[in-house]
Amino acid sequence: MEDIEDVLGPAGLSGGGAPPGLRLPLAAVAVKPKRRSSRVAQEPLQPDARIPGTQSDSEYMSGQLSAFGYAITEEPEGADLWLINTCTVKNPSQSAMTTLISKCKNANKPLVVAGCVPQGSQGLKELEGISIIGVQQIDRVVEVVEETLKGHEVRLLSRKTLPSLDLPKVRKNKFIEILPINVGCLGACTYCKTKHARGHLGSYTIDSLVDRVKTVVSEGVREIWLSSEDTGAYGRDIGTNLPNLLNAIVAELPVDRSTMLRIGMTNPPFILEHLKEIAAVLCHPCVYSFLHVPVQSGSDAVLTAMNREYTVGEFRKVVDTLCELVPGMQIATDIICGFPGETDEDFTETVDLIKEYKFPQVHISQFYPRPGTPAARMKKVPSNEVKRRSRELTSVFESFSPYQGMEGKVERIWITEIATDGVHLVGHTKGYIQVLVIAPDSMLGTSANVKITSVGRWSVFGDLVEGSVVVREAPKQASAEVQREHRQDQAEEAGCCGTDSCGTCACSDAAQQCDPGRCEDTSHASQTCGDQEAIQTTLVRRNLTTKASESNAAQLVGTEQQVNVVTRTRRGVNVDTILWCGLAVSLAATIALLVLLTSRISSSSAY
């Protein structure tokens, strides 16, 4: 299963993350890219961006399906069922979902659609006759898959309690845990479609989140990404707040700094109340000094039309305070170009804001009206003007050199991924600056000091400092054998994007960008996650007697979206065995009964 950004390809990015009846999380899994024979530094290298909210749901669904006996395969044609997980914000992603549904129907495969699209747009014609699962029903994915394979249409959309954090899970990257701390939001942005699906704020308790952190640390996770539509709003529905949660989590992180915490996207209104407390947490040795704070526009008039509930001055206060109190602080932000009513003067204010702060990452997207939202009824800015503004802002953003001056510095980095070129490993500094190093795969999951040798627009390059590698022995997995096997050969790449409460990109990874050379509109080469939606496809194949391939997934070549097939050998109790044993017992009992009756009839005849 893959995110919508992967389905659409980098062109769907703007810059540089269950079936009815059973709740299982779907996870995006991909094989590790083949290494090139020559290891030549390439610039820029920008890992794929993905949506943590959707990705986390997918990982949970995949884990449940795997635990039940299904597996990921690389042959879509051989799948017994396709499962599409979606996140809705803009029309392009919904169109991609429609395309996937058509392909599935043409292939005559049973289909389940999960996520925000069916939850927020239940009346879509494309969803007629299809089993669907809502965003809070992922723990029932197995049930839905099973019923769908029997030919039944199942729809689970009613909201209830939050899914458990302890469901089986298959991570896309075994070193990275995407931990949802709450769902929904408290905002009412006029362009937002996500809230229609995710609903009002619902926070997990601090105890449940801390317990999950303890578990994943014991499993060898090296990075924990807090995921949320709005991290800053955490706890307002249960009488607590984000600083309380962060301090409780930090207290459980290893003192050797082998596991790092990354705080997710937060909108300005709620973090304003806790700036000093948040700054103190960001200064902690085990917390990345990085935060994604979307501004969306540099004009108060546009922010009012968006109903963003803050001013540009308040956004400035957030940025200025954090940069003053947190050494090496890195902040990423989002901009929506061409919001209805945006004038040339409004846009100029946005450009001036970006020029002033020279953010290392700006996720630029063009406004897309979403049916059913207030913004969809507003007077639109001409599309050619929207594109012009987007190109202009992109040009301004790309003129910055955010990492200039780092050459020669020694930085500690945490290495968790393989770069998309298949040559470099990807690590991050405490400020979450992406560092590319040439090193063996055995370095994954370790920490080391590197000397920065050169800088690029999106990342920097470094050489390992001899004798600086810090390796913490990962404890044995406490999870089931099926989960261990499923994680062994997963791709080491994982994206960063989340979706904020109002459907705008919530990329928390300052280094994640799409490859400009692959973007349809090169003017958006620097933008990240301009399309906030994600579609992840998992193909389910029943395979209860033969062992599945050790490869957990594969990427389709070319422009085809990446698709995974679930085909796992059944673990534990085998249903077929039980049925055969039951049949044998019944047959034996029947024969015994016939012998007894025959004996009695013979005795009666004798008399």
Side-chain angles (χ1 to χ4, degrees), residues 248-305:
I249 290 177
V250 166
E252 300 299 331
L253 298 178
V255 294
D256 62 0
R257 303 178 70 191
S258 57
T259 300
M260 295 291 288
L261 178 70
R262 193 182 77 179
I263 302 174
M265 184 281 303
T266 180
N267 288 311
F270 301 117
I271 193 177
L272 276 166
E273 301 177 18
H274 309 292
L275 279 179
K276 291 185 177 180
E277 295 92 331
I278 299 299
V281 174
L282 290 168
C283 289
H284 192 280
C286 296
V287 181
Y288 286 119
S289 305
F290 170 84
L291 197 61
H292 176 205
V293 186
V295 64
Q296 305 305 357
S297 174
S299 164
D300 283 339
V302 174
L303 292 178
T304 299

Side-chain angles (χ1 to χ4, degrees), residues 29-317:
V29 180
V31 293
K32 185 166 58 181
K34 293 182 179 180
R35 292 296 185 95
R36 296 181 183 178
S37 56
S38 60
R39 296 193 170 193
V40 181
Q42 300 186 4
E43 211 322 301
L45 293 175
Q46 300 144 1
D48 295 335
R50 295 187 174 91
I51 296 179
T54 301
Q55 180 176 318
S56 179
D57 287 353
S58 294
E59 291 181 349
Y60 273 123
M61 285 191 280
S62 290
Q64 294 176 74
L65 288 168
S66 298
F68 191 75
Y70 295 105
I72 304 291
T73 184
E74 56 194 64
E75 300 176 358
E77 299 80 7
D80 291 299
L81 178 142
W82 290 21
L83 194 158
I84 301 173
N85 192 22
T86 66
C87 178
T88 180
V89 175
K90 298 179 182 176
N91 283 326
S93 295
Q94 187 165 313
S95 299
M97 179 200 72
T98 301
T99 300
L100 279 174
I101 289 175
S102 297
K103 286 186 176 182
C104 185
K105 289 182 176 179
N106 291 335
N108 294 318
K109 301 293 185 181
L111 174 65
V112 174
V113 178
C116 292
V117 171
Q119 184 76 66
S121 304
Q122 302 175 22
L124 283 178
K125 183 179 180 181
E126 293 83 359
L127 296 176
E128 292 180 0
I130 294 174
S131 291
I132 58 179
I133 303 175
V135 295
Q136 293 187 23
Q137 301 286 343
I138 61 171
D139 57 329
R140 302 183 66 183
V141 63
V142 173
E143 176 185 344
V144 175
V145 167
E146 290 281 286
E147 292 301 317
T148 302
L149 287 170
K150 294 175 184 177
H152 303 152
E153 177 186 340
V154 186
R155 297 199 162 208
L156 296 181
L157 293 168
S158 62
R159 293 187 176 91
K160 53 177 196 63
T161 58
L162 296 174
S164 170
L165 294 172
D166 293 326
L167 294 170
K169 190 172 189 178
V170 176
R171 300 186 186 96
K172 297 185 73 169
N173 185 322
K174 65 182 179 181
F175 298 113
I176 298 174
E177 168 73 8
I178 300 173
L179 179 61
I181 63 174
N182 56 263
V183 299
C185 72
L186 296 176
C189 299
T190 55
Y191 57 85
C192 175
K193 185 72 173 179
T194 304
K195 188 170 183 177
H196 292 191
R198 295 281 174 177
H200 200 64
L201 181 68
S203 303
Y204 286 96
T205 66
I206 291 180
D207 287 344
S208 65
L209 291 166
V210 169
D211 286 344
R212 182 62 184 171
V213 167
K214 292 178 181 178
T215 298
V216 301
V217 169
S218 72
E219 293 176 351
V221 161
R222 300 305 187 219
E223 285 187 7
I224 299 173
W225 298 356
L226 300 187
S227 170
S228 169
E229 276 78 42
D230 186 356
T231 302
Y234 170 80
R236 286 177 167 262
D237 57 321
I238 58 174
T240 186
N241 57 46
L242 182 61
N244 291 338
L245 171 65
L246 295 178
N247 287 321
I249 290 177
V250 166
E252 300 299 331
L253 298 178
V255 294
D256 62 0
R257 303 178 70 191
S258 57
T259 300
M260 295 291 288
L261 178 70
R262 193 182 77 179
I263 302 174
M265 184 281 303
T266 180
N267 288 311
F270 301 117
I271 193 177
L272 276 166
E273 301 177 18
H274 309 292
L275 279 179
K276 291 185 177 180
E277 295 92 331
I278 299 299
V281 174
L282 290 168
C283 289
H284 192 280
C286 296
V287 181
Y288 286 119
S289 305
F290 170 84
L291 197 61
H292 176 205
V293 186
V295 64
Q296 305 305 357
S297 174
S299 164
D300 283 339
V302 174
L303 292 178
T304 299
M306 292 178 173
N307 196 27
R308 288 290 287 173
E309 301 180 340
Y310 59 87
T311 65
V312 176
E314 289 173 326
F315 172 78
R316 289 176 181 272
K317 180 179 180 181

